[in-house]
Amino acid sequence: MDEPKLSPFALTKPRIVLLILGAVLVLIAISTAMGGLGSYQQLKQASDEAQSGATADTPAAK
């Protein structure tokens, strides 16, 4: 009957899980706001095009 009451800020297993899920959600939101995977794909495509264009402009390729 004399169980000690938990502090409202005590880290219990469910609270830790919620904190981790919240951190993952924040990371996803930041990633999406910065352009997400679509921006990465465009950057990769532009890099590939620039590399293929640079090899076509070299004297050995002519």
Side-chain angles (χ1 to χ4, degrees):
M1 255 166 86
D2 273 344
E3 293 180 17
K5 292 190 176 188
L6 287 175
S7 165
F9 303 108
L11 290 178
T12 61
K13 286 184 182 183
R15 289 181 184 168
I16 292 171
V17 170
L18 288 175
L19 284 172
I20 291 171
L21 290 175
V24 169
L25 183 64
V26 167
L27 287 174
I28 291 171
I30 291 171
S31 172
T32 302
M34 293 177 65
L37 291 176
S39 181
Y40 172 74
Q41 292 297 332
Q42 289 175 348
L43 180 63
K44 185 177 176 183
Q45 182 181 5
S47 173
D48 291 341
E49 289 173 3
Q51 287 177 354
S52 66
T55 56
D57 292 339
T58 58
K62 289 183 178 180

